Each structure stands twice: as structure tokens, then as C-alpha cells.
Amino acid sequence: MRKKKLVSLAFLMLLLLATALYGCSSDNASDNTEGDSGDSGDSGEPKVLIFGRGGDSVSLDPIAVTDGESYKVTKNIFDTLVNFGEQDTEIHPGLASEWTAAEDGLTYTFTLEEGVKFHDGTDFNAEAVVANFERWAAGNADQFPYYGSMFGGFGDEEGHVIDSVTATGDYEVEFKLKRPQAPFLKNLAMSSFGIASPTAFEAAGDKFGDAPVGTGPFKFVEWKRNDSITIEKNADYWVEGEPKLDQVVFRSIPDNSARLNALLSGEIDLADGITPSDGATVEGDANLQLFERPSMNVGYLGLTTTREPFDDPKVRQAMNHAIDKQAIVDAFFEGRGEIAKNPMPPVISGYNDSIEDYDYNPEKAKELLAEAGLPDGFEMELYAMPVPRPYMPDGQKVAEAIQKNLADVGVTANIVSFEWATYLEKAANGEADAFLLGWTGDNGDADNFLYVLLDQDNIGSNNYTYYENQELHDILIEAQTEVDEDKRNELYGKAQEIIHEDAPWVPLAHSTPLLAGGKNVVNFKAHPTGSDKLSTVDLE
């Protein structure tokens, strides 16, 4: 079992009173000299889990972000009205203990848990739920990108699905929709829609993401930018027996090898972003265990359709023919990934397997470039991700492979990169010619891939390619409204055909992400959404 310094008795008493910190810096966490890591039991030492990850969070206000590094933390600070299953996207009670839906699909009534409090002592009730939705609906795509993506807009905008949210009792909330929305409950379960303390967000304004307050199993303690985020046990958590841990420290370790070494040396207890090539190393170490996250993702090369020459579909199709996806999957995923041909993975209902992928064909790529008036190719910038992601363990190396493929057809790709938050901002603003990115599904529905990432409603939020197609938009809105699953799947099949022809992306791979932890980590369940709730995790 890994070692840590013993804390002094006085310091321990302060921790147990939840008025002080322990081990919140990376220096303290890695100074392993005495005592067992996270071993409270008879020794009385607090259980502290050190979670090594590839990058820092962007914000800890879940509605203000779209990145997985932020949700890793916020998932444990906030609760949602309904929850996903332990390792699936089936809907279960959350802050709402039960709910009913009208036959026409336009009214949902939720009964809320009673006696729940936010971390700042504010009561959780129907009015708090209303305040959260009113806050989100009053925003815009820059402030709250996911709200517009999942509910069709803001305020009085025509596409906005939610007509009203009303407290019909102290612990009862009624949602009225303008039109049926098939994935409505799954949307509510997403990490983005964690219910926050109205007292806190009204006081903090735009700074709420720096000191978040929810009802979740852990309370925010400290954020050292690009280093660590510390959360501690919510002793008054409303779910009996949770959480098991006293504290969780999320450490940012961007380099994959350094993160693995930190795990091997006992500096951290859990690590995500384990590269496929390192999976065997973990499996061969008796002190470690390997976790496979259920695959529900796609890694892709986005082509910004408003920037020349990617405003021409022929150029985008040429890019698809120019890139050797099989070689990329073989080299960087090592048996833990498969080639992607559609913008969503095969596990999602509505996947169109009849689509024939663009084959790797440099000569065809050159022909298409010539037809587009670019017989000598062109020069471009290629954005490479600065952090490992579940759908792409090493963005820099993938970018280098793509760079070589493009050079073979006369395209000069200059690789550039930025700090993670800046990378996302610049891509969202349409500043990239082409960019590597990906998506881990948030709710297990096709809408969360096709509408969120490629519909014209979401340009400037999650549609980084600025791609728009009115026919596609009409199909996706119809699919949202349709409640018959077979009819929805037919619509999504047509949508994928349109996207394939217009080629705003080069879909690259669907991965099986890997995590690793010490043998003393108990009951960790990697969730397909990439947001792992740690309330039942324990340390032996």
C-alpha cells in the first residue's frame, strides 16, 4: 500500500471539523514517507484520493463549460434532478425522487427530495430549481453553451424548448415544453445541469465558477490553477453512507508518461488518460488495476467551413481521402480503438452502418483538390490538442501523422497548439483552419452528437466547424420531437448521410479510454460519459 505523511493530531481535528485542509498541494500529496494512503480505519488517518489527470478545469460552474476536465470535478460538487445509471445512461432518481410526464410530452412534474441543503446552508427546494433554470434561460451561447445546445435556445427565442419552469409546491416543480423533446430527461441528467445554490451564484455572478456551491457529496476547498483542485467530504450529504472519502485532490499532470510514473511511484492513487501502449504496463503490475471506460466517444479532425479553402466541400472530401485513419488507429490506439466513419459511435441508437467510409486514397484526394482549383495544394494551420483526451490519447502525435499524410497530397499543415482553455476558445470562435478535437457522449442519445456538434443552432458553442445545412437542421429538430424510436432512428440515419456528403469533419476513431489505479482503490466505476461520481469510491 502506498505511503503518505501522518498529519498532526491538531491538524486532523481541524480536518474532521471541516474547517481546514489536508494534503491539498501537489507537494504534500507526493511526499510519501509514513502511513498508508487514504487508510483511515483504526489509524484515524483521513482517506485522501489523489486523482491525476491530463489537464486543468476551465471553470467549476458546470453550465459554463463543455470540457471533460471541468466535469470531472463538478460531477462531485453538484447533483442533478435525475441521474444516469452506474455505468450506463438509463435514468434514475436524483434530487428529484420521482416524476410524471403528460401523454402529449409537453408537461413534466418532478417531486423533489426534502431536507437537502446546499453546501452554504441554503435550502434546496422547488424555488432553487426554478432559480437555476431562470438563470440559464436568461443567458446566451457564450455564457451557457450547453443550455442552448440541449434546449434549443434561450429566453423567448423561437427554438427554445422550455416554455416555463414553475414551483407548484415547496418540493414540486412543473416544466412545460413548447414541443415534445425525446431526450428531455437524459438532458437533465447531464453534468452541465447540476443544481447550484441561488444564494451563491447570485452573490458571485461571473465568479461563481471559481468557488462553486452545490448539494453534492463533496464541497469545494481550493483551486491552484494548472496544479490542483481540492474538494472535501460533505458530512451532511443527503445520500446515506456517502461519500466514503474525506478528500479528493485532482492533480493536473499533462504529460502521459509523468502521470503514469506518478501512479507507479505512489504519488497519485488514480490516473486517467492512460495511453493504450501503457495498458500492458499497468496490467503487469500487481499493485495496480486497469479500468476500461465504456466507449461512447468520437475523435475527429474538424474543418472550419467558413475559412478558405474549407468552404468548398470538395476540399473537405479530399481531406477525408488524404488521411490514413487505419494507420492512426493502429499506431496510437493499439487495439483499444476502431476507425470512425460517422460523427457518433456505433453504440448509439440510430447509428447508420450502411454509410461507406471515405477510403484512404491520396490520388483521389489530389483529384478533388484539382477540381477545387488547388492542383498544387495549399498551406494551412493544424491545431493539435495540448492535453490527452479519452478519444485521443496523444493529440500531438496524431497531428504529426496527419501532417505527413497531407504533405503527400501537396497540403502543407503547420501544427500549432495553445493552453487548453485557449485552444477551446479559439476553436469555438472559428479561428482554426482545422483542429483536432472529440466528444464523449453526455447522455447516450444521437441528438447529443449530431444536433449538439453539427447543427447550425450551435454555431459558436459546440459546433466549432461553423457548418450549417438547413435540410439537416429540419431533420434533427424533427428527430428531437419524434418519440417513436424507430422513426427517430430513420431520421438520424438520413442526417448522417447528409453530414457524410458535406464532410465538415474527418471522423478518426472511437476509443476505449483507459484509467488506472492502485489496488487499494475500491468501487471506482468508470462512466461512459467521462464524468465519474466518486461518492461510493473508497480506499482500503
Side-chain angles (χ1 to χ4, degrees):
M1 194 173 291
R2 273 125 354 131
K3 306 294 182 181
K4 271 190 182 65
K5 290 194 300 185
L6 289 172
V7 294
S8 68
L9 179 60
F11 197 67
L12 175 60
M13 291 174 64
L14 288 175
L15 175 66
L16 297 177
L17 291 171
T19 58
L21 304 178
Y22 167 75
C24 58
S25 73
S26 58
D27 291 338
N28 287 344
S30 62
D31 190 359
N32 306 328
T33 56
E34 299 179 28
D36 292 333
S37 171
D39 183 13
S40 64
D42 293 338
S43 72
E45 185 180 351
K47 297 181 179 182
V48 181
L49 178 80
I50 313 296
F51 192 148
R53 57 191 185 138
D56 199 8
S57 301
V58 175
S59 170
L60 297 183
D61 181 358
I63 195 61
V65 294
T66 63
D67 71 295
E69 295 300 348
S70 296
Y71 294 139
K72 276 188 181 71
V73 183
T74 64
K75 181 70 175 178
N76 294 285
I77 296 173
F78 296 89
D79 292 311
T80 46
L81 288 178
V82 292
N83 288 327
F84 293 129
E86 192 174 66
Q87 286 191 295
D88 58 42
T89 54
E90 296 300 315
I91 297 299
H92 299 270
L95 286 171
S97 56
E98 57 186 54
W99 55 90
T100 58
E103 287 188 12
D104 61 7
L106 296 177
T107 304
Y108 287 79
T109 304
F110 294 85
T111 301
L112 307 179
E113 290 283 350
E114 299 185 27
V116 177
K117 287 187 178 292
F118 291 98
H119 301 155
D120 61 0
T122 300
D123 289 331
F124 166 77
N125 52 31
E127 291 295 344
V129 174
V130 172
N132 274 267
F133 277 86
E134 287 181 343
R135 176 196 180 213
W136 302 336
N140 56 52
D142 290 334
Q143 293 173 294
F144 309 137
Y146 247 141
Y147 185 86
S149 293
M150 305 317 299
F151 298 119
F154 300 86
D156 295 329
E157 292 176 3
E158 182 179 350
H160 188 195
V161 170
I162 298 177
D163 186 39
S164 64
V165 184
T166 307
T168 51
D170 289 344
Y171 295 96
E172 184 178 274
V173 180
E174 181 183 82
F175 287 74
K176 286 192 174 296
L177 308 185
K178 297 175 184 176
R179 55 181 172 84
Q181 187 184 51
F184 179 68
L185 287 173
K186 287 193 171 186
N187 290 347
L188 293 181
M190 289 166 47
S191 297
S192 300
F193 305 113
I195 304 299
S197 164
T199 302
F201 68 66
E202 288 168 5
D206 293 341
K207 300 296 184 183
F208 178 70
D210 296 336
V213 181
T215 63
F218 295 92
K219 300 188 291 185
F220 173 77
V221 174
E222 182 182 34
W223 186 355
K224 297 180 179 180
R225 303 282 175 168
N226 297 312
D227 178 21
S228 64
I229 294 175
T230 302
I231 57 177
E232 68 182 5
K233 181 175 185 174
N234 175 11
D236 298 318
Y237 191 46
W238 58 278
V239 178
E240 187 175 355
E242 298 180 11
K244 309 295 185 183
L245 300 168
D246 294 299
Q247 194 176 78
V248 180
V249 180
F250 295 90
R251 281 187 55 192
S252 299
I253 309 175
D255 183 76
N256 290 341
S257 297
R259 196 178 329 107
L260 177 62
N261 287 335
L263 181 67
L264 292 169
S265 67
E267 293 178 24
I268 61 177
D269 303 293
L270 191 63
D272 70 359
I274 299 297
T275 62
S277 60
D278 288 330
T281 299
V282 174
E283 289 176 315
D285 191 320
N287 295 316
L288 301 178
Q289 53 186 319
L290 190 70
F291 304 100
E292 288 190 348
R293 187 181 301 285
S295 181
M296 194 172 69
N297 62 40
V298 60
Y300 66 89
L301 176 69
L303 309 172
T304 307
T305 61
T306 53
R307 296 177 69 88
E308 295 182 350
F310 299 119
D311 55 343
D312 187 336
K314 288 184 181 296
V315 175
R316 303 195 298 265
Q317 292 168 0
M319 295 287 283
N320 274 270
H321 281 297
I323 295 172
D324 188 349
K325 295 194 282 189
Q326 185 66 61
I328 288 173
V329 169
D330 290 345
F332 306 119
F333 292 85
E334 299 195 20
R336 300 187 189 267
E338 61 179 302
I339 288 176
K341 64 179 180 180
N342 290 322
M344 66 186 207
V347 296
I348 301 295
S349 182
Y351 180 82
N352 189 341
D353 197 32
S354 66
I355 285 176
E356 186 175 344
D357 196 10
Y358 292 96
D359 63 327
Y360 171 54
N361 190 334
E363 292 306 314
K364 180 64 174 177
K366 291 177 183 178
E367 289 175 17
L368 287 166
L369 289 175
E371 290 175 18
L374 297 166
D376 299 322
F378 59 93
E379 188 170 351
M380 57 173 279
E381 282 192 344
L382 171 59
Y383 279 32
M385 289 182 297
V387 296
R389 304 303 304 133
Y391 43 76
M392 202 172 298
D394 196 325
Q396 181 68 32
K397 289 182 179 178
V398 172
E400 291 169 2
I402 290 173
Q403 182 185 50
K404 184 179 184 304
N405 286 159
L406 295 180
D408 291 341
V409 300
V411 175
T412 301
N414 301 310
I415 297 175
V416 297
S417 192
F418 308 91
E419 183 270 330
W420 183 225
T422 303
Y423 185 98
L424 293 173
E425 180 181 7
K426 292 175 78 67
N429 290 339
E431 297 178 29
D433 293 330
F435 55 90
L436 285 169
L437 207 56
W439 190 258
T440 298
D442 297 288
N443 63 12
D445 196 275
D447 177 77
N448 185 246
F449 284 87
L450 304 185
Y451 176 76
V452 171
L453 301 177
L454 289 160
D455 189 79
Q456 59 202 41
D457 279 350
N458 296 317
I459 289 173
S461 57
N462 290 307
N463 179 354
Y464 289 5
T465 63
Y466 283 64
Y467 165 63
E468 56 182 312
N469 181 304
Q470 186 62 44
E471 181 186 5
L472 175 68
H473 172 75
D474 293 341
I475 289 172
L476 293 178
I477 295 301
E478 184 181 354
Q480 279 186 354
T481 306
E482 179 59 63
V483 294
D484 183 286
E485 189 69 12
D486 290 336
K487 292 180 180 178
R488 288 190 82 212
N489 289 343
E490 288 180 15
L491 291 166
Y492 286 128
K494 292 178 183 177
Q496 288 163 82
E497 291 173 2
I498 294 170
I499 294 166
H500 178 76
E501 181 67 22
D502 285 349
W505 287 8
V506 181
L508 295 173
H510 307 297
S511 73
T512 299
L514 300 178
L515 304 92
K519 285 291 188 183
N520 62 328
V521 176
V522 178
N523 206 33
F524 173 75
K525 303 290 185 181
H527 200 270
T529 62
S531 299
D532 304 314
K533 197 166 187 177
L534 304 175
S535 57
T536 61
V537 174
D538 206 347
L539 290 170
E540 290 183 340

